[in-house]
Amino acid sequence: MSISEASNISGSVSEFILLGFPCRREFQILLFVLFSLIYLLTLMGNLSIICAVWSSRKLHTPMYILLANFSFLEICYVSSDVPKLLANIISQTKSISYAGCLLQFYFFFSMCAAEGYFLSAMSFDRFLAICRPLHYPTIMTYRLCAQLVVFCWIGGFLSILVPATLMSRVPFCGPNIIDHFFCDLGPLLALSCAPVPKTTLTCATVSSLIIFLTFLYILGSYSLVLRAVLRVPAGSGRNKAFSTCASHFLVVSLFYGSVMVMYVSPGSRSHPGTQKFVTLFYCMATPFFNPLIYSLRNKDMKDALKKVLRAPTKVITKNIEK
């Protein structure tokens, strides 16, 4: 089905057309290669962190268990929209089914919510470790860590359940062209046949609450952490605390900075080009940079990653010798 034919659909919409990045074919092939490379490196980077935490007993602590779950979340997060983006770049139809669009909307924003919860849990862990070091082993037990992990995963999916249900009741009767590369909230609501103020208000309220409550909690936690670190005499302990917290806060800044520009800035949604760029940043750039940030600034993680990378080399060497 061509784009011109799809725009004239009357009645109930059975599929949407994701325009993505309309440009010359040569440039689309370049984008496909670039995005594919970033996607593969993102998967490899986050998988390496999971393997490092899994294989190293030294990393079987709440901080790294949360980090491993966060890395797995990043894999799910980037896989909720990038494969479809890559498929549409090389496709002529650039279509996605109605059900597929709603599922993409639900899973993507559930992962976004879960990311906010995981970043909050990680800031809580760092707050206890630095501000309450004597009580840390008794408070941050493996049981509490497991409860936090379960809460973050389930909470992310439950938080978007109501907005997703309301979105499934929005009437779409054409046109069905979405000037975006995935089924985002704003472009979908713009295609509604009738005003849906209840759905718009609910989605805006839920997203704002998740963004601001988690961000303010993280900001408050790291403010207390920074105050505690500044009281510590200069030395290796202080430098290690600064390094660990700097990694966490850098990830927080990348994620919340781009999300707030997208969903809080009043003029961001009126410019499709800006909207796509900012969305692309927190869809692909933040999951790509997170493994680099955590591994490059953490000595224990670097040591564990070296062991993980050396293991396949040893196996290959032994096989060659045989």
Side-chain angles (χ1 to χ4, degrees):
M1 181 184 293
S2 66
I3 293 177
S4 60
E5 289 173 339
S7 63
N8 293 324
I9 291 177
S10 59
S12 180
V13 167
S14 60
E15 66 176 13
F16 293 98
I17 305 298
L18 295 170
L19 286 185
F21 301 93
C23 54
R24 293 175 59 184
R25 189 63 181 170
E26 295 81 3
F27 191 65
Q28 286 188 338
I29 293 173
L30 179 63
L31 287 178
F32 177 81
V33 173
L34 177 63
F35 293 160
S36 297
L37 183 61
I38 294 174
Y39 179 59
L40 289 174
L41 290 174
T42 301
L43 294 182
M44 290 171 60
N46 285 287
L47 277 172
S48 64
I49 286 181
I50 295 171
C51 293
V53 174
W54 180 270
S55 61
S56 176
R57 284 188 171 275
K58 190 178 180 180
L59 301 184
H60 291 178
T61 61
M63 182 179 84
Y64 292 107
I65 291 171
L66 289 170
L67 178 58
N69 276 272
F70 184 73
S71 294
F72 181 66
L73 170 68
E74 293 290 64
I75 292 173
C76 299
Y77 175 52
V78 77
S79 298
S80 65
D81 61 336
V82 174
K84 187 62 180 176
L85 164 64
L86 295 174
N88 280 346
I89 288 178
I90 59 175
S91 172
Q92 295 296 326
T93 58
K94 305 185 185 299
S95 64
I96 183 171
S97 67
Y98 173 80
C101 191
L102 291 182
L103 282 173
Q104 187 185 63
F105 167 85
Y106 176 62
F107 279 105
F108 177 81
F109 285 102
S110 294
M111 298 300 168
C112 280
E115 181 150 354
Y117 297 147
F118 266 109
L119 290 172
S120 300
M122 293 164 79
S123 69
F124 173 67
D125 175 75
R126 290 301 84 203
F127 165 76
L128 288 178
I130 294 173
C131 299
R132 302 287 188 272
L134 298 178
H135 299 92
Y136 180 80
T138 56
I139 297 175
M140 184 54 77
T141 60
Y142 285 103
R143 181 179 179 181
L144 178 59
C145 182
Q147 289 173 344
L148 288 173
V149 168
V150 171
F151 169 78
C152 292
W153 280 108
I154 296 178
F157 283 96
L158 290 180
S159 298
I160 309 300
L161 195 58
V162 172
T165 303
L166 291 175
M167 284 299 298
S168 67
R169 298 175 182 175
V170 173
F172 297 106
C173 53
N176 65 339
I177 299 176
I178 301 176
D179 190 9
H180 213 310
F181 60 84
F182 86 111
C183 296
D184 200 0
L185 175 63
L188 271 177
L189 289 175
L191 295 180
S192 173
C193 295
V196 282
K198 182 181 177 181
T199 300
T200 304
L201 179 61
T202 302
C203 292
T205 302
V206 170
S207 60
S208 297
L209 283 174
I210 294 172
I211 292 170
F212 282 111
L213 290 180
T214 55
F215 180 71
L216 290 175
Y217 177 80
I218 294 168
L219 200 62
S221 297
Y222 281 116
S223 298
L224 296 174
V225 166
L226 181 61
R227 189 174 68 175
V229 169
L230 290 174
R231 291 176 180 174
V232 177
S236 59
R238 181 174 178 175
N239 293 336
K240 185 177 180 181
F242 259 125
S243 179
T244 303
C245 293
S247 300
H248 285 267
F249 198 72
L250 187 55
V251 171
V252 169
S253 301
L254 283 173
F255 177 71
Y256 281 97
S258 54
V259 167
M260 285 185 176
V261 167
M262 187 66 250
Y263 295 102
V264 179
S265 177
S268 60
R269 299 189 188 185
S270 58
H271 301 89
T274 305
Q275 187 180 29
K276 290 178 190 178
F277 176 77
V278 176
T279 307
L280 190 66
F281 184 83
Y282 72 79
C283 284
M284 295 190 70
T286 52
F288 172 74
F289 285 119
N290 288 349
L292 297 175
I293 293 169
Y294 282 119
S295 60
L296 293 177
R297 297 186 63 88
N298 190 300
K299 185 178 181 299
D300 293 336
M301 181 58 68
K302 282 192 286 187
D303 293 340
L305 284 172
K306 286 176 183 177
K307 291 179 181 178
V308 170
L309 295 174
R310 283 173 188 165
T313 307
K314 290 180 179 178
V315 172
I316 293 170
T317 305
K318 287 181 180 178
N319 291 333
I320 292 173
E321 290 174 352
K322 288 179 181 180

